Amino acid sequence: MTQNVVMTGASGFVGKAVSRCLLSRGDVVHGLVRRAGSAVDGVHEVRLTGDDFQQLEDDWPRTLTCDVVVHLAARVHVMGETSPEALPSYRAMNVEGTLRVARLAARAGARRFVFVSSIKAVGERSVGKPISERDEPLPQDAYGISKLEAERALLEFGRTAGMEIVIVRPPLVYGPGVRANFFNLMRAIDKGIPLPLGAISAQRSLVYVDNLADAIARCTIAPAAAGETFHVADERDVAVRELAAMLAESLDAPRRLLPVPAGLLRLVGRLTGRSATVDRLVGELRLDCSHIREVIGWHPPHSTEQGLSDTAAWFRSTH
């Protein structure tokens, strides 16, 4: 069945992957974008003006109706931004802006709203067991707090408006086109820079962007997904040192991983004021993704090895 899908964040890293997945399935995709020509071919672009979707009512074409909205746009997490003053800015986009999109979606006839949140809405690490959807959320920064507040506000809105809400919480997303910390790690490995990761055995859940896109696309149509929250990650977790070694192999780069103990890295983090950064590097963060398997039967279509190989091939072709 062909769907009419409206997507925010259509020009972004994840948005482009989701667009390709929906288009390949035969859906009609309308992308809300700030810059013309920034979405993938085949997406019908709707130009946005203003910040935090404040002008959305004017931007949304009166004739645009839809079956589903996929909401990806957000004020993203910025490493080291922990001050209390940051929270209002995150709320303006991630909570109030999200609700503006939901209200317009309901007016346009959408029966379902798929909200791409973040595992940071629950916390920064797992302790002894993977984090499941049943665990009590304890977000640690303004970004995570705003994402959790958006989830709760959407669920309440869905109850009153009669709209099906589906929440997807990914961990770190990687793949061709990735930026930020994952890109910096690849660049350092490619340059042969020795990295103090050889003793870091903490397991981390990651998700290949095409796996995430596939899960989001399934969440737009699976009847049983209505009202559910899903953790989505690759089939297996990897240790930080294993991830670095796999990237080195995929990049055909030297594997220069120094066996620096995690305790020493934490000490350096405290001395340099970068404890949060180090904790994310050496701490465990595993997700329990059994719920999405049990409810809608979703499994990642791509292995972690394939995802890293594709990411490395993209890096090689562009750098």
Side-chain angles (χ1 to χ4, degrees):
M1 178 184 70
T2 298
Q3 294 189 115
N4 209 18
V5 181
V6 168
M7 183 189 307
T8 70
S11 61
F13 168 51
V14 176
K16 289 180 177 179
V18 178
S19 296
R20 286 189 290 265
C21 190
L22 293 173
L23 290 168
S24 69
R25 198 173 64 185
D27 288 342
V28 177
V29 180
H30 302 267
L32 306 187
V33 300
R34 290 191 172 277
R35 184 168 52 84
S38 58
V40 301
D41 290 344
V43 171
H44 303 280
E45 294 183 338
V46 176
R47 184 81 180 275
L48 293 175
T49 60
D51 297 325
D52 306 327
F53 295 106
Q54 292 184 30
Q55 306 300 318
L56 184 60
E57 189 163 355
D58 296 328
D59 297 334
W60 191 294
R62 299 298 176 186
T63 57
L64 178 56
T65 61
C66 62
D67 303 302
V68 180
V69 168
V70 175
H71 185 50
L72 286 158
R75 183 173 190 212
V76 299
H77 170 72
V78 177
M79 189 71 73
E81 188 175 52
T82 58
S83 67
E85 292 78 11
L87 185 54
S89 296
Y90 281 102
R91 282 175 169 154
M93 178 62 172
N94 297 348
V95 184
E96 285 88 355
T98 296
L99 286 174
R100 288 188 189 101
V101 177
R103 293 188 192 104
L104 264 294
R107 189 184 304 178
R111 60 174 173 78
R112 179 170 290 190
F113 192 101
V114 180
F115 177 56
V116 181
S117 182
S118 167
I119 197 59
K120 288 179 177 292
V122 186
E124 297 286 349
R125 64 168 57 194
S126 55
V127 181
K129 66 180 184 66
I131 300 173
S132 81
E133 296 85 349
R134 298 179 298 276
D135 290 330
E136 182 68 23
L138 293 170
Q140 300 297 304
D141 60 16
Y143 172 76
I145 291 168
S146 70
K147 281 292 194 177
L148 179 62
E149 290 178 350
E151 291 181 9
R152 291 171 171 173
L154 275 175
L155 290 171
E156 179 59 30
F157 175 81
R159 282 189 286 269
T160 59
M163 179 185 287
E164 298 171 353
I165 306 297
V166 185
I167 296 167
V168 175
R169 292 177 180 154
L172 186 149
V173 186
Y174 69 96
V178 69
R179 296 296 175 186
N181 292 335
F182 200 95
F183 176 84
N184 292 335
L185 176 61
M186 284 196 296
R187 184 164 57 183
I189 291 171
D190 185 58
K191 290 182 176 179
I193 298 173
L195 300 172
L197 305 177
I200 308 303
S201 59
Q203 296 280 316
R204 309 284 296 191
S205 292
L206 311 170
V207 63
Y208 178 44
V209 67
D210 284 353
N211 284 339
L212 177 58
D214 187 77
I216 292 169
R218 285 286 299 278
C219 284
T220 68
I221 59 173
E228 296 288 348
T229 297
F230 296 126
H231 291 176
V232 175
D234 287 352
E235 198 72 58
R236 72 182 185 92
D237 304 327
V238 295
V240 174
R241 64 187 179 194
E242 181 185 7
L243 172 63
M246 292 169 73
L247 282 171
E249 181 176 356
S250 296
L251 290 167
D252 194 24
R255 185 185 306 185
R256 293 174 177 161
L257 305 177
L258 306 179
V260 179
L264 180 56
L265 288 176
R266 287 193 172 97
L267 174 61
V268 172
R270 287 194 296 270
L271 293 175
T272 59
R274 304 186 67 184
S275 290
T277 302
V278 173
D279 285 344
R280 290 186 180 94
L281 180 66
V282 304
E284 171 191 298
L285 180 57
R286 295 183 294 142
L287 276 60
D288 180 350
C289 300
S290 60
H291 188 54
I292 192 169
R293 293 197 299 269
E294 294 164 357
V295 173
I296 66 172
W298 181 81
H299 293 270
H302 307 280
S303 68
T304 301
E305 289 80 3
Q306 182 62 55
L308 291 176
S309 176
D310 291 348
T311 307
W314 162 79
F315 182 90
R316 276 290 187 216
S317 69
T318 57
H319 297 84

